[in-house]
Amino acid sequence: MIDQLKELQINFNDRIKNSSSRESVEELKKEFMGKNSPLNAILQQLRNVDAQTRQEAGKLANEIKNQILGEINALQDKFDQEDLKSQLSSEKMDVSLPGLEMSFGSKHPLNLVIEELSEIFSELGFEMVDGTEFEEDEYNFQRLNLPEGHPARDMQDTFYVNEKEVLRTHCTNMSSRVLSELALLSGDVKQHGSVSFGNVYRRDVDDATHSHQFMQIDAFLIGPKISFANLKWILQYLCKRLFGDNVNIRMRPSYFPFTEPSAEVDLSCFKCCGSGCKLCKNSGWIEILGSGMFNENVLKLNGINPQKNTALAFGVGVERIAMLKYGISNIRDFYENDIRFLNQFHFFGN
Ligand SMILES: [Zn+2]
């Protein structure tokens, strides 16, 4: 038995000398220390031998076991150290390398237009009001002189949520809400300007210039002495601020159910200065917004006395302004959030 152990030790010493990889050491550990190893078999036989042999062989077997474990652990530690070293050297930071380029966000073109318009209206003394997109039929239609049966209320144009509520078809819903509040506050309205912006919804077929959801800015100015001349001045001022001092406006008679008189407003073409181009379809003019004086009925329906007050009103499509200002031809570009499209607006106020 002693001889068997010595032979096993010699065998192990030979084998470990040639173990140069982590795998071969693992293999050696399994072979010499595993459940079916020769050392284990010898230890099993100890109980069958005489006491003296058991003592000597037991002692030697323990020495050999400790030697094997010690040498295997030492080799495994060595491999761990080597791995760590090579990992550290491969991940070494080179501080002389150029840094990674950071990408910065930019404001959305629709927000740029809203910010610009908000600034202009705030300078003119208008109060900014925020309202709901989920609106009662009463404020979206009835109080704006759009009684039941009016063509603009047709199911073709409006998203009805239920019989009494709609997704607002214009931001003018906020005009009727503000007018009603003013009427409650006082019988005699002092001059008051109000502007609101946000999403509006129409049952439209989406194409390059139409979307079922778009943004509007809607404004009105009410007071005892507000006239069509005030409307013309404000619109002229607004267009010059947006498109430059050289532009002019022209007002054409039109029809809107909530204004009387009503006017469609055209902008002189800022690209060709009137000589005719693709943008203005060779007419020299670009249609830009709808406007008018609030119909007497609208004032009455919201509790305002039309004998004492008049109000100018107009609504602007935010996408329309952004498309003209930034030369965008497809309305869908605003909603697809393609980073290549949005990155072009770094230049504008970002
Ligand atoms: Zn033109």
Side-chain angles (χ1 to χ4, degrees), residues 22 76-90:
R22 187 186 287 277
Q76 282 179 329
D77 283 349
K78 190 182 127 201
F79 291 135
D80 286 348
Q81 288 296 326
E82 282 173 3
D83 285 355
L84 185 65
K85 231 181 199 171
S86 80
Q87 192 186 354
L88 285 174
S89 71
S90 71

Side-chain angles (χ1 to χ4, degrees), residues 197-265:
F197 65 84
N199 290 322
V200 301
Y201 303 84
R202 306 265 174 98
R203 285 169 61 117
D204 218 340
V205 178
D206 292 1
D207 61 23
T209 52
H210 295 87
S211 167
H212 64 280
Q213 178 200 312
F214 53 101
M215 297 193 86
Q216 258 192 354
I217 284 210
D218 205 277
F220 76 84
L221 178 65
I222 189 168
K225 289 180 179 170
I226 300 298
S227 73
F228 201 85
N230 297 122
L231 174 66
K232 190 179 175 189
W233 184 89
I234 287 179
L235 294 175
Q236 183 117 20
Y237 178 76
L238 182 68
C239 289
K240 282 182 187 291
R241 283 286 298 266
L242 286 171
F243 296 98
D245 272 345
N246 294 331
V247 298
N248 280 312
I249 60 163
R250 132 180 126 172
M251 300 177 88
R252 285 180 290 114
S254 185
Y255 168 78
F256 300 110
F258 29 83
T259 47
E260 179 59 39
S262 302
E264 200 77 61
V265 179

Side-chain angles (χ1 to χ4, degrees), residues 207-210 271 278-279 319-320 322-334 341 344-345:
D207 61 23
T209 52
H210 295 87
K271 202 169 177 187
K278 200 178 160 195
L279 182 68
E319 282 86 346
R320 176 93 179 121
M323 286 169 96
L324 287 172
K325 265 184 91 81
Y326 304 125
I328 296 160
S329 56
N330 193 333
I331 198 168
R332 286 170 289 211
D333 286 340
F334 292 125
F341 169 75
Q344 298 172 62
F345 297 92

Side-chain angles (χ1 to χ4, degrees), residues 268-286:
S268 63
C269 184
F270 50 85
K271 202 169 177 187
C272 66
C273 299
S275 60
C277 70
K278 200 178 160 195
L279 182 68
C280 60
K281 294 172 189 151
N282 289 317
S283 69
W285 296 94
I286 301 164

